Amino acid sequence: MNELDFSGKHVLVIGGSSGIGNGIARAFLARGAVVHVWGTRERKEDYSPEEGSVLEGLRYHKVDVLSSAELAAYEPPFESLDVLVQSQGLVLYRRAEFNPTEFRRVIETNLNSVMACAMKFHGLLAAARGTMIILSSIGAFLATKGNPAYSASKAGVLGLTRSLGQAWAADGIRVNAIAPGLVETKLTRVTTGDQSRLAATLQRIPLGRIGTVEEMAGVALFLASPLSSYIVGQTMVVDGGRLL
Ligand SMILES: NC(=O)c1ccc[n+]([C@@H]2O[C@H](COP(=O)([O-])OP(=O)(O)OC[C@H]3O[C@@H](n4cnc5c(N)ncnc54)[C@H](OP(=O)(O)O)[C@@H]3O)[C@@H](O)[C@H]2O)c1
């Protein structure tokens, strides 16, 4: 038996249009799954590999998770859902998160939409006895000086993962989260594209390098597979040792 063969399985990656979510979507595709991804742009062609988006073979749908109308209008083209990955995320720089409106926008994107999407797909996940994987961050465990909303939202995701893990275990759904350290995506270019900032960050990572989307995808495959069948409500830190 190959526990990492997802042939015949249906996977939806919210935030699968780019970065970590896109890497996770491609990993499931490579292992036989039918993979649907959501992003904010109108069409698949609006994304490019230079930005960290490779959408070939993935079924793209535009759904802005900040729009309850768009979320409600999405009719799933599958009758049961084996894996739901929630990788949508927003961070605002230059102290914008200290503005109350922007603070709410980040919480809305990174936390409230996760609950809304979880509820939308609860029935389909239960039908498949599926798994849900949420992207948290090491910002859930650390103070992030310039990003109070990001840190609060990711700590919120940690709590939500525990509560939904407990609440939905009886429905046969396993809920877990991944807390990445630094991975190069369009969300983190501010750091990875700035040599002095990057060098300062690398000094604090015992493995001495940033992570890759493939390394995050490996953990997602594990959490969606029978190899992790006794893990529920946990947040797995995948950070090259940064939190140590
Ligand atoms: N990269 C890191 O170092 C790192 C570290 C810790 C945690 N994370 C978390 O990992 C997740 C993925 O981030 P990433 O680094 O891969 O960044 P990314 O490349 O910018 O991906 C973010 C994804 O979220 C989608 N998204 C944002 N707002 C949305 C909305 N309103 N409706 C629907 N989709 C929306 C984006 O869609 P578009 O492509 O259309 O913009 C994109 O697919 C996030 O939750 C992030 O907080 C990342």
Side-chain angles (χ1 to χ4, degrees), residues 33 35 54 122 133 205 218 231:
V35 185
V54 178
H122 171 260
I133 299 163
I205 303 174
I231 302 180

Side-chain angles (χ1 to χ4, degrees), residues 12-241:
L12 169 61
V13 184
I14 300 171
S17 57
S18 78
I20 294 172
N22 188 247
I24 291 173
R26 284 186 277 122
F28 280 108
L29 183 70
R31 284 159 185 82
V34 176
V35 185
H36 300 259
V37 296
W38 289 3
T40 61
R41 298 182 192 168
E42 215 51 59
R43 301 166 311 136
K44 207 177 193 175
E45 294 72 28
D46 297 333
Y47 292 93
S48 70
E50 294 73 45
E51 293 175 296
S53 304
V54 178
L55 293 170
E56 205 181 333
L58 302 173
R59 302 175 187 208
Y60 177 76
H61 309 267
K62 180 208 177 246
V63 181
D64 182 338
V65 296
L66 294 181
S67 160
S68 44
E70 277 188 36
L71 196 55
Y74 178 80
E75 297 208 3
F78 35 78
E79 281 169 7
S80 66
L81 181 60
D82 300 281
V83 184
L84 174 64
V85 179
Q86 299 218 45
S87 189
Q88 66 271 42
L90 177 68
V91 61
L92 301 175
Y93 295 103
R94 297 174 180 266
R95 298 181 71 81
E97 292 181 10
F98 286 85
N99 170 302
T101 305
E102 301 295 36
F103 185 94
R104 272 196 291 274
R105 185 155 69 100
V106 172
I107 298 286
E108 212 39 66
T109 307
N110 295 0
L111 179 60
N112 295 350
S113 86
V114 173
M115 182 60 180
C117 294
M119 291 311 297
K120 179 170 176 86
F121 292 106
H122 171 260
L124 292 175
L125 283 169
R129 300 185 75 74
T131 59
M132 180 164 75
I133 299 163
I134 310 173
L135 269 296
S136 178
S137 164
I138 57 168
F141 303 95
L142 291 169
T144 52
K145 198 173 173 186
N147 300 95
Y150 188 77
S151 181
S153 68
K154 294 302 183 177
V157 159
L158 191 134
L160 185 64
T161 300
R162 286 183 181 140
S163 296
L164 292 183
Q166 184 186 44
W168 290 0
D171 302 326
I173 304 169
R174 283 191 307 114
V175 180
N176 288 294
I178 300 172
L182 182 61
V183 177
E184 185 172 5
T185 65
K186 69 175 156 56
L187 193 95
T188 55
R189 292 257 154 83
V190 162
T191 302
T192 58
D194 178 326
Q195 284 313 311
S196 65
R197 234 173 132 148
L198 179 60
T201 304
L202 289 178
Q203 278 196 337
R204 285 185 255 132
I205 303 174
L207 285 186
R209 61 174 179 83
I210 61 174
T212 64
V213 298
E214 289 78 14
E215 286 171 319
M216 304 305 131
V219 180
L221 292 172
F222 167 68
L223 287 175
S225 81
L227 294 171
S228 62
S229 53
Y230 206 52
I231 302 180
V232 171
Q234 299 303 308
T235 295
M236 298 198 63
V237 174
V238 190
D239 69 345

